[in-house]
Amino acid sequence: MMFNYIYTTFLTILYTVVMSLSLSLYLKEREKNYLLVSLYFLLLILNGLIVTMSETFQIFANDYNRQFMVNPIIETIYYLATFGIALKLVTELFEEKITTYQYGIYIVFALWLIVVPFMANSALKVWLYYFPSQLLTVYLGIYLLIHNRKMIPKSSLGKYVKLIGSLAIFFGLAIVVEDTFIIYFRDIYHTNMLKIHNRNVSEDIFHISLCLIAIKYFLTNYQKGNEEVAVIDIRNEKNETNDSVSNFEEDEYYFKRFMDKYGITQREGEILELLLQRKHNQEIANQLYLSLGTVKTHTHNIFIKLQVEKRSEVCEVWEAFEKSELTQ
């Protein structure tokens, strides 16, 4: 009992930390992927609380397991929501839209989760209910590896994507193996003797791995942001030939005033700096370790705030602002 309490508390705290970090980044940068990550881990927290209650309170476990065998509405909502969020997250990562066949997969998955509970109570029924979820985890892992190799293999983000894809494939298969053993050799599905283990250790390890990767990614980006601020502080010591860049590097004070005037966020400011250096989106993505889609989104937001339509006009707005500041 004490071990379950400590273990569950550890998972809850870990998921909450990742959710909080991701949510704070979303509120700061308004990047959709951060919101999706927050929602994903929120679902893990809620599901973990239900699993813990089924392990702690026998009365709750009995009622919950009976309900699961008849109409597993909570699990169905959980699996549909987590797969939907994960699918949206990986497609957004590569700046793609969910395709027709992926919508088809989602619909078939939903129908499967609805139809299987009508089967007679047995280990096979439970195994068939869970199996597609793990199959889709493997699918998402393969999707990440294939698209990562095509689009962002050399960037820092590409390394994270490759690692997550490999883990999804490995643990997707591991969860199937564990489910098979538990469902067929440990659980009991008789009407008058219902005993179900709702926790999957392989699934917990997978989510812990995702947490550690997410925390490392967030902290690395935070550290990188601090390093970039330090670089800005010594820009006046550098001599570069590009006029727009030279003007910007001569006085960081004016750039901060420019950001404040137009409501430019810190991340947008990092991208704006490289836009003023006439760099293309892919160059910016590689230098800041961002996906191409993220760079395009922030660039579009910068254009809206500066009320421009072309990249060249960004430099014009900056030069006009700087000139007005110098003449005051």
Side-chain angles (χ1 to χ4, degrees):
M1 183 70 71
M2 181 60 68
F3 174 78
N4 283 344
Y5 173 77
I6 296 174
Y7 179 68
T8 302
T9 302
F10 165 74
L11 290 180
T12 303
I13 293 175
L14 188 60
Y15 296 162
T16 303
V17 168
V18 176
M19 183 187 71
S20 301
L21 288 173
S22 185
L23 185 59
S24 65
L25 286 171
Y26 169 73
L27 295 176
K28 181 180 180 181
E29 302 182 10
R30 297 296 176 181
E31 185 177 331
K32 187 186 300 182
N33 284 351
Y34 290 136
L35 178 60
L36 292 172
V37 171
S38 299
L39 293 175
Y40 184 85
F41 280 95
L42 175 61
L43 289 173
L44 293 186
I45 292 172
L46 296 176
N47 183 68
L49 293 176
I50 294 175
V51 172
T52 301
M53 291 177 65
S54 71
E55 294 174 336
T56 306
F57 305 105
Q58 189 60 44
I59 296 177
F60 176 84
N62 293 336
D63 293 339
Y64 180 75
N65 290 333
R66 290 193 188 96
Q67 180 65 28
F68 168 77
M69 296 303 293
V70 177
N71 182 19
I73 184 64
I74 296 177
E75 287 84 354
T76 299
I77 293 175
Y78 169 73
Y79 283 116
L80 288 177
T82 51
F83 175 63
I85 291 173
L87 180 60
K88 182 64 175 176
L89 184 60
V90 298
T91 52
E92 284 286 335
L93 184 64
F94 299 110
E95 198 187 357
E96 295 180 346
K97 294 182 179 180
I98 298 177
T99 61
T100 302
Y101 92 88
Q102 288 172 331
Y103 278 117
I105 291 175
Y106 190 82
I107 293 172
V108 171
F109 180 46
L111 292 175
W112 182 277
L113 296 181
I114 294 173
V115 171
V116 168
F118 286 99
M119 296 174 58
N121 289 351
S122 65
L124 177 61
K125 168 185 173 179
V126 178
W127 188 87
L128 289 175
Y129 180 84
Y130 285 118
F131 178 68
S133 300
Q134 317 320 328
L135 194 63
L136 291 176
T137 300
V138 175
Y139 162 75
L140 290 176
I142 295 174
Y143 181 94
L144 284 173
L145 292 181
I146 292 176
H147 285 70
N148 179 67
R149 187 166 60 249
K150 293 180 180 178
M151 304 185 70
I152 51 175
K154 296 182 180 179
S155 69
S156 174
L157 179 61
K159 296 178 181 178
Y160 288 104
V161 171
K162 182 179 179 180
L163 178 58
I164 293 174
S166 300
L167 289 174
I169 295 173
F170 175 80
F171 280 105
L173 297 175
I175 294 170
V176 172
V177 173
E178 183 177 343
D179 275 350
T180 301
F181 173 76
I182 296 297
I183 291 172
Y184 281 97
F185 299 101
R186 296 289 301 277
D187 290 349
I188 302 174
Y189 303 101
H190 298 299
T191 304
N192 58 346
M193 181 61 178
L194 189 63
K195 182 180 179 181
I196 299 177
H197 294 79
N198 294 296
R199 185 182 298 280
N200 187 294
V201 178
S202 297
E203 188 172 10
D204 285 347
I205 296 175
F206 175 52
H207 290 145
I208 291 172
S209 301
L210 293 182
C211 286
L212 297 178
I213 293 172
I215 291 173
K216 181 180 179 181
Y217 176 77
F218 294 149
L219 294 181
T220 299
N221 277 5
Y222 177 78
Q223 181 180 5
K224 184 176 181 299
N226 288 339
E227 291 174 353
E228 289 175 350
V229 171
V231 170
I232 291 176
D233 291 337
I234 60 173
R235 285 183 182 278
N236 291 332
E237 300 177 4
K238 298 181 180 179
N239 296 316
E240 296 183 10
T241 58
N242 186 284
D243 291 339
S244 297
V245 178
S246 296
N247 289 336
F248 163 69
E249 293 180 345
E250 285 175 359
D251 202 335
E252 176 196 354
Y253 169 75
Y254 291 126
F255 188 72
K256 289 183 177 179
R257 286 176 58 87
F258 184 80
M259 291 176 61
D260 292 338
K261 178 179 179 179
Y262 290 100
I264 304 295
T265 66
Q266 180 180 350
R267 176 64 79 184
E268 290 170 349
E270 296 169 358
I271 293 176
L272 175 60
E273 173 191 350
L274 299 179
L275 286 175
L276 293 174
Q277 296 180 32
R278 317 281 181 171
K279 293 196 174 183
H280 299 295
N281 287 340
Q282 189 60 61
E283 294 177 301
I284 296 174
N286 293 339
Q287 186 164 337
L288 297 181
Y289 305 112
L290 299 172
S291 68
L292 184 60
T294 298
V295 172
K296 288 184 177 180
T297 298
H298 285 307
T299 301
H300 177 69
N301 292 336
I302 292 172
F303 282 9
I304 293 177
K305 292 179 179 181
L306 300 185
Q307 297 182 349
V308 300
E309 296 181 356
K310 300 178 181 179
R311 302 168 74 91
S312 60
E313 293 175 343
V314 174
C315 294
E316 294 174 3
V317 173
W318 160 249
E319 290 169 357
F321 171 83
E322 186 182 36
K323 183 177 180 181
S324 66
E325 290 289 319
L326 292 174
T327 56
Q328 289 182 358

